[in-house]
Amino acid sequence: MGETNSKSIVSLVLGILSIFLPLPFIGLILGIIGIILSSKSMKEIDLTSEKGKGLAISGKVCSIIGICVQILLILLTVLSIASVSLLMNSGNN
């Protein structure tokens, strides 16, 4: 019975955090790190007889979803700031 790859566990945790963390740039960074770690862990699992390939795949999926969510949050923040700025400027004229 082999051990579970620790990088696959960490990639899953980072992927989940990247989805639910409300700070956009930190969640984006965690998602990118999660994708990198899940890719490395899948390569290690293929070379060794460790377990955790499902965790690594889940980590990659969660990281990708987290990155998409964070990008949407960043875009919504930029658009809301721009719209408030436009409304304030149009009220002054």
Side-chain angles (χ1 to χ4, degrees):
M1 189 164 173
E3 293 183 20
T4 304
N5 189 299
S6 60
K7 287 181 186 170
S8 62
I9 297 170
V10 173
S11 72
L12 179 60
V13 171
L14 290 176
I16 292 170
L17 283 175
S18 71
I19 294 172
F20 293 111
L21 206 64
L23 302 171
F25 293 107
I26 294 175
L28 185 68
I29 292 169
L30 291 179
I32 292 170
I33 294 171
I35 288 177
I36 292 169
L37 282 178
S38 65
S39 297
K40 285 186 177 184
S41 68
M42 282 196 274
K43 288 178 185 175
E44 286 180 7
I45 289 170
D46 288 339
L47 294 175
T48 63
S49 61
E50 290 179 317
K51 294 181 179 180
K53 188 159 186 154
L55 293 174
I57 293 170
S58 300
K60 185 176 263 191
V61 169
C62 286
S63 295
I64 291 171
I65 292 170
I67 288 173
C68 292
V69 167
Q70 298 299 326
I71 288 173
L72 284 174
L73 283 175
I74 291 169
L75 287 175
L76 286 174
T77 304
V78 169
L79 288 174
S80 64
I81 290 172
S83 65
V84 167
S85 173
L86 284 174
L87 287 174
M88 292 184 77
N89 285 338
S90 66
N92 291 335
N93 292 335

